[in-house]
Amino acid sequence: MRGTRHGPAVRRRKLGEELRGLRLAAGLTSRDAARLVGWHQSKVSRIETGTSGVTGADVARLLDAYGVREPRSRALLEALADAADGGGAGWWRAYRGVLPPPYQDFISLEAQACRARTLETSVVPGLLQTAEYARAVTRAALDGVPPATVDALVRVRVARQEVLRADPPLRLEAVLDEAVLRRRVGGPEVMRRQLRRLLEWSRLPHVRLQVVPFTRGEYVGLSGSFVIFSFPNISDLDVVALDHLTSSLYLERTEDLKAYGAAFRTMQAHALSPEDTSDLIAGIGDGA
């Protein structure tokens, strides 16, 4: 599918584009860059076209050659290089025995992002799930998986939520279909506690939660769930992730990013306000 790739390929290409832009801004040819870092010119070209992997250490050498000193931009570019070259050294690597590579890649994108905009039409977003809710969802989605694997996947789901407690935290904007709140995942008590947790998360200044109620009828989000990741200090690096429990696909074309960004803004305008959303969640929770 044109414009749809797995995460590492997306980031290799986008990282290459960013490095090429920095090289040009420094007034250097690819031959100049190769000479400054002691490489063959073809290596610089392969990195810039995304056809070759590159380590964070190699990116640091290129940034030195291009005179890039800003710490946060350097750190993100180096982290993107390591993540695109096999998932980086994040905490999720300890679970690589149970996490498929595409899911590891999704988590690494999430960990590096500064903002996530997500639409969910069936279940509570993973970043906002309680452990018992996550367990019920995982068991249903992966019927027959050994209990130890379910336990590991639940631990991963809970550990992912640390991005909302980081300094600075991930800015999360979530639009949920009302069906998410009405479906009694795990039974009434599990759902009641999950709804209470949603209210707790929604009170955080960096979490914006909105619900599209049934009464609004059809809307653009009925086509399916997605996440848009944005990253700090890097131009043109947004990625749309179509997330599944065991795999993910990524959309990176400018027209795709514009379409999903516009769709998300439309859904936010179509949804209840955060205040009315809290009232709806509280009301459903009382009757769960």
Side-chain angles (χ1 to χ4, degrees):
M1 185 184 300
R2 183 173 175 268
T4 304
R5 307 185 184 187
H6 290 295
V10 171
R11 280 175 293 169
R12 280 198 303 269
R13 191 189 70 79
K14 287 184 173 287
L15 176 62
E17 290 177 350
E18 189 69 22
L19 290 172
R20 181 175 183 274
L22 292 171
R23 173 177 61 76
L24 293 175
L28 300 172
T29 65
S30 58
R31 187 183 298 275
D32 294 333
R35 176 178 51 80
L36 287 171
V37 296
W39 297 342
H40 193 279
Q41 183 181 359
S42 62
K43 179 173 180 176
V44 174
S45 297
R46 289 196 302 272
I47 291 171
E48 291 185 354
T49 57
T51 57
S52 175
V54 59
T55 66
D58 284 344
V59 167
R61 293 176 67 182
L62 289 172
L63 296 179
D64 287 341
Y66 303 160
V68 178
R69 301 286 180 259
E70 204 281 313
R72 193 168 184 182
S73 293
R74 288 181 64 100
L76 178 61
L77 287 168
E78 292 167 25
L80 284 174
D82 285 332
D85 191 32
W91 58 264
W92 54 90
R93 296 288 287 172
Y95 294 91
R96 59 186 177 273
V98 296
L99 296 181
Y103 189 29
Q104 293 182 52
D105 192 66
F106 179 87
I107 297 172
S108 70
L109 274 175
E110 186 176 75
Q112 294 157 15
C114 65
R115 180 188 184 197
R117 287 164 284 171
T118 182
L119 165 72
E120 283 290 352
T121 59
S122 298
V123 297
V124 171
L127 289 179
L128 304 178
Q129 292 178 6
T130 64
E132 55 189 354
Y133 183 99
R135 185 177 303 279
V137 169
T138 302
R139 283 175 173 166
L142 299 177
D143 186 39
V145 168
T149 300
V150 173
D151 290 343
L153 291 171
V154 171
R155 288 196 298 272
V156 167
R157 186 62 57 94
V158 173
R160 282 172 50 196
Q161 297 172 3
E162 287 303 310
V163 296
L164 295 175
R165 302 184 182 94
D167 185 19
L170 176 74
R171 288 169 49 209
L172 177 64
E173 299 171 45
V175 174
L176 312 183
D177 191 288
E178 185 176 344
V180 173
L181 309 180
R182 299 287 183 183
R183 182 171 289 106
R184 290 188 174 184
V185 173
E189 287 303 317
V190 169
M191 198 63 205
R192 185 176 292 111
R193 287 189 287 270
Q194 175 61 73
L195 293 174
R196 189 179 305 125
R197 179 67 60 83
L198 277 180
L199 288 174
E200 293 170 359
W201 283 120
S202 70
R203 296 187 187 106
L204 297 177
H206 53 279
V207 175
R208 181 182 177 89
L209 186 60
Q210 293 179 261
V211 169
V212 180
F214 291 147
T215 54
R216 296 288 163 89
E218 70 279 1
Y219 65 104
V220 65
L222 291 175
S223 58
S225 302
F226 62 86
V227 184
I228 307 172
F229 288 120
S230 299
F231 302 87
N233 299 337
I234 303 296
S235 62
D236 190 33
L237 200 59
D238 285 11
V239 174
V240 176
L242 307 179
D243 181 30
H244 307 284
L245 187 63
T246 59
S247 64
S248 299
L249 293 177
Y250 301 87
L251 305 178
E252 58 167 325
R253 296 182 305 178
T254 300
E255 54 265 42
D256 291 326
L257 295 170
K258 287 182 177 179
Y260 275 85
F264 192 81
R265 289 190 295 273
T266 297
M267 286 184 290
Q268 285 185 310
H270 196 64
L272 296 175
S273 68
E275 295 75 20
D276 288 343
T277 290
S278 294
D279 290 342
L280 177 63
I281 294 173
I284 295 174
D286 290 341

